[in-house]
Amino acid sequence: MGASFEDVVKATGKNFECEQSISGYYRLVCDGKIILDDSACEDVNGTEQEAKDFFAEYLLEYEVPEDKKEFRCGSFFLK
């Protein structure tokens, strides 16, 4: 199990949120701006926890500063 969505968001230093759309799928939002919105993605059409897990992996790879993460065994982890 990786870091929680909340821990990863804290590591970014930004205000990311997991928001449910009116259609029922989840999207990644930062300061009111939609960052990742893909209703065709299976990972955001399940439960809120599944969506948060998916977004945590996305944020670890693309938004967390290099000095706050490490890459091992093919995945990123918080230090």
Side-chain angles (χ1 to χ4, degrees):
M1 167 101 180
S4 72
F5 176 76
E6 291 76 13
D7 289 342
V8 173
V9 168
K10 185 177 179 180
T12 68
K14 298 178 183 175
N15 298 314
F16 287 102
E17 297 177 89
C18 178
E19 176 183 277
Q20 189 170 27
S21 74
I22 196 154
S23 301
Y25 66 91
Y26 292 91
R27 56 189 173 199
L28 184 64
V29 177
C30 185
D31 294 325
K33 180 181 175 188
I34 296 171
I35 305 301
L36 187 59
D37 183 5
D38 184 359
S39 62
C41 177
E42 260 185 51
D43 295 309
V44 299
N45 279 304
T47 66
E48 182 178 15
Q49 188 58 54
E50 290 170 332
K52 283 183 171 183
D53 291 345
F54 174 77
F55 293 141
E57 288 181 34
Y58 172 85
L59 291 172
L60 263 170
E61 186 167 349
Y62 297 107
E63 296 289 337
V64 173
E66 293 296 322
D67 65 333
K68 293 185 178 182
K69 66 184 178 184
E70 60 187 359
F71 187 79
R72 50 187 156 93
C73 301
S75 297
F76 286 100
F77 296 89
L78 289 177
K79 286 185 177 179

